């Protein structure tokens, strides 16, 4: 949706300018202004949607469609990312689900949002909630806010996230607790507490290995980055329900690292 709005707005603006403006200097101006008009049109549509989708349940499929649409535009037109997904068929279409992935770049949540075939969200840091439009979008799609300065606030957000997951929602968690070492994409350590979410919600676990995301910071927006996403078979809740969070962390870490292709 948002990619279409961007391209149509740009094309319409360029068409009108080509009809009414013939001066070569103005042609250069409209080439520059075209993408800006496209982005402004997208933001307007997003604001309109945010006024009512916040009232829809987190499992509403239209919410999932909007999130994928926004993520796709950001990945391909702003970050210039090309995503190759392996074993996308492993993503369950329904049921409580927690996705765990390695975390080496700030673009990781958008990569996963694009490939999800169902409503889903992730766990942004509280600092990002200071940005008005972004904060509204996070709240609307069911993100779990992580406040590293307030364990109480994070715990409160976790309780809500667990309730949402029990209804059949999917949440992406990066259990490393932040971006550690961008030069080595493999996982060295996970925070066991991150797996309480899966245990308490009775959710299946979907491990995902992201390859190549650190290069986006160096390449965007002028050079294209090639990302490969390896999706692993689901770990059913029945397999983990009697394990400790530390045992689950070790299990998931081993699985994720099998799909990392350039770890040191």
């Amino acid at each position: 949706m948002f990619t279409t709005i961007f391209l149509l707005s740009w094309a319409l603006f360029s068409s009108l300018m080509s009809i009414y403006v013939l001066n070569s200097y103005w042609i250069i101006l409209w080439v520059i202004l075209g993408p800006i008009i496209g982005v402004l049109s997208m933001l307007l549509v997003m604001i309109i949607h945010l006024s009512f989708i916040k009232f829809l349940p987190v499992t509403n499929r239209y919410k999932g469609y909007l999130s994928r649409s926004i993520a796709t535009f950001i990945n391909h037109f702003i970050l210039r990312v090309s995503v190759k997904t392996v074993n996308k068929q492993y993503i369950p279409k329904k049921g409580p689900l927690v996705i765990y992935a390695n975390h080496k770049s700030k673009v990781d949540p958008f990569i996963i949002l694009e490939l999800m075939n169902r409503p889903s969200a992730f766990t942004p840091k509280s600092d990002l909630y200071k940005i008005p439009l972004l904060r509204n979008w996070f709240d609307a799609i069911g993100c779990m806010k992580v406040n590293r300065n307030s364990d109480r606030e994070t715990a409160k957000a976790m309780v809500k996230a667990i309730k949402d997951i029990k209804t059949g929602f999917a949440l992406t968690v990066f259990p490393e607790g932040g971006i550690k070492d961008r030069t080595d994409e493999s996982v060295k350590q996970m925070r066991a507490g991150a797996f309480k979410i899966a245990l308490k919600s009775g959710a299946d676990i979907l491990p995902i290995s992201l390859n190549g995301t650190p290069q986006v910071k160096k390449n965007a927006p002028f050079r294209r980055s090639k990302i490969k996403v390896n999706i692993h078979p689901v770990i059913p809740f029945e397999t983990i329900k009697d394990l400790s969070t530390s045992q689950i962390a070790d299990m998931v870490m081993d699985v994720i690292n099998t799909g990392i292709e350039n770890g040191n």
Side-chain angles (χ1 to χ4, degrees):
M1 171 190 283
F2 286 95
T3 299
T4 302
I5 292 170
F6 173 78
L7 294 175
L8 285 177
S9 300
W10 188 354
L12 179 60
F13 176 78
S14 298
S15 298
L16 291 174
M17 293 296 288
S18 65
I19 293 173
Y20 295 108
V21 178
L22 298 178
N23 187 294
S24 59
Y25 293 105
W26 284 100
I27 292 175
I28 295 174
L29 181 61
W30 102 56
V31 170
I32 296 173
L33 288 178
I36 297 175
I37 297 298
V39 170
L40 290 176
S41 299
M42 283 179 46
L43 289 175
L44 177 60
V45 172
M46 185 176 180
I47 290 170
I48 293 172
H49 275 83
L50 286 174
S51 66
F52 69 87
I53 66 169
K54 61 184 178 181
F55 299 110
L56 301 176
V58 292
T59 53
N60 182 274
R61 298 196 70 83
Y62 188 62
K63 276 191 176 184
Y65 166 72
L66 287 175
S67 295
R68 287 195 303 275
S69 180
I70 293 171
T72 299
F73 174 80
I74 291 173
N75 289 339
H76 295 274
F77 285 87
I78 297 179
L79 302 175
R80 298 198 65 203
V81 166
S82 175
V83 182
K84 178 183 178 182
T85 306
V86 179
N87 293 325
K88 191 174 181 178
Q89 72 274 13
Y90 287 151
I91 303 175
K93 294 183 178 181
K94 59 182 180 179
L97 184 70
V98 181
I99 302 108
Y100 291 98
N102 55 316
H103 190 30
K104 304 299 175 180
S105 169
K106 293 180 180 178
V107 308
D108 296 342
F110 297 104
I111 301 297
I112 295 178
L113 273 181
E114 179 184 343
L115 60 88
M116 292 302 292
N117 55 11
R118 54 186 290 179
S120 66
F122 53 100
T123 55
K125 294 188 296 183
S126 56
D127 291 347
L128 295 174
Y129 279 77
K130 297 177 182 178
I131 306 172
L133 191 58
L134 207 56
R135 176 182 66 231
N136 295 339
W137 179 49
F138 289 161
D139 289 338
I141 67 173
C143 287
M144 175 188 146
K145 180 167 67 172
V146 176
N147 189 338
R148 295 200 174 107
N149 296 319
S150 175
D151 292 340
R152 183 177 181 181
E153 186 176 335
T154 301
K156 185 178 179 180
M158 183 184 293
V159 170
K160 181 184 181 302
I162 289 170
K163 290 180 180 179
D164 289 340
I165 295 168
K166 286 181 177 180
T167 66
F169 190 56
L171 184 71
T172 296
V173 178
F174 299 104
E176 291 173 271
I179 300 172
K180 305 301 182 184
D181 181 4
R182 296 177 187 268
T183 61
D184 184 357
E185 296 187 50
S186 62
V187 182
K188 303 302 181 184
Q189 187 175 7
M190 289 185 169
R191 294 190 176 186
F195 295 89
K196 290 181 181 179
I197 300 174
L199 274 180
K200 292 182 178 295
S201 61
D204 294 336
I205 289 177
L206 180 67
I208 289 181
S209 305
L210 301 172
N211 292 274
T213 57
Q215 66 179 300
V216 178
K217 184 178 180 180
K218 297 182 290 184
N219 293 346
F222 303 108
R223 296 173 58 194
R224 183 167 295 279
S225 301
K226 294 183 179 180
I227 308 299
K228 184 175 181 181
V229 182
N230 288 321
I231 302 176
H232 303 276
V234 163
I235 301 174
F237 176 69
E238 290 298 315
T239 302
I240 65 165
K241 66 178 184 179
D242 296 323
L243 300 179
S244 67
T245 53
S246 296
Q247 290 174 314
I248 301 171
D250 289 341
M251 176 191 298
V252 174
M253 183 169 67
D254 289 343
V255 173
I256 290 175
N257 282 339
T258 63
I260 303 298
E261 300 175 0
N262 57 349
N264 294 327

